[in-house]
Amino acid sequence: QVPLVESGGGLVQPGGSLRLSCSASGSIFSILFMAWYRQAPGKQRELVASITSGGSANYADSVKGRFTISRDNAEKTVYLQMNSLKPEDTAVYYCKMITGSAYWGQGTQVTVSS
């Protein structure tokens, strides 16, 4: 069973919006930390946004004011609402969840281009 399943990526024009989702399988419990990372071609994976079990969120400076991370603890799902997208947001986006172990999603491609 795949631990984390992501959805919501795609192609969008500059200025557009996308919403990413990442859900944990039934075997994962007590999720302490959820986050979204991204990796552009030729670059290192970077942290985009994170949220604690209490709902405290943090963002990379490059996405502040444009992206919003949220979580549904009952559904074991984390979301990333991305608005005012820019070409430099193009990357593969990965979710990460931490319990006593760390789990990664398979990645979803986000392409921002006209």
Side-chain angles (χ1 to χ4, degrees):
Q1 189 177 22
V2 178
L4 303 180
V5 178
E6 300 180 26
S7 63
L11 173 64
V12 64
Q13 292 185 342
S17 297
L18 284 174
R19 189 191 194 208
L20 306 182
S21 301
C22 174
S23 295
S25 69
S27 62
I28 296 178
F29 298 94
S30 301
I31 302 169
L32 303 174
F33 177 87
M34 297 180 173
W36 288 95
Y37 288 72
R38 67 186 180 187
Q39 187 166 19
K43 295 188 177 181
Q44 289 189 326
R45 190 173 296 188
E46 63 174 352
L47 177 63
V48 175
S50 64
I51 187 166
T52 66
S53 57
S56 179
N58 283 286
Y59 299 91
D61 288 343
S62 60
V63 307
K64 282 181 181 177
R66 300 188 297 121
F67 291 10
T68 302
I69 189 171
S70 61
R71 61 188 285 171
D72 183 329
N73 290 328
E75 296 296 325
K76 298 189 289 185
T77 298
V78 62
Y79 304 97
L80 186 68
Q81 178 67 43
M82 304 185 293
N83 298 329
S84 302
L85 282 160
K86 304 175 181 180
E88 51 263 44
D89 295 317
T90 295
V92 178
Y93 284 71
Y94 299 89
C95 65
K96 180 179 182 180
M97 296 189 187
I98 296 177
T99 61
S101 303
Y103 300 90
W104 288 91
Q106 80 281 9
T108 185
Q109 177 70 46
V110 172
T111 302
V112 184
S113 175
S114 55

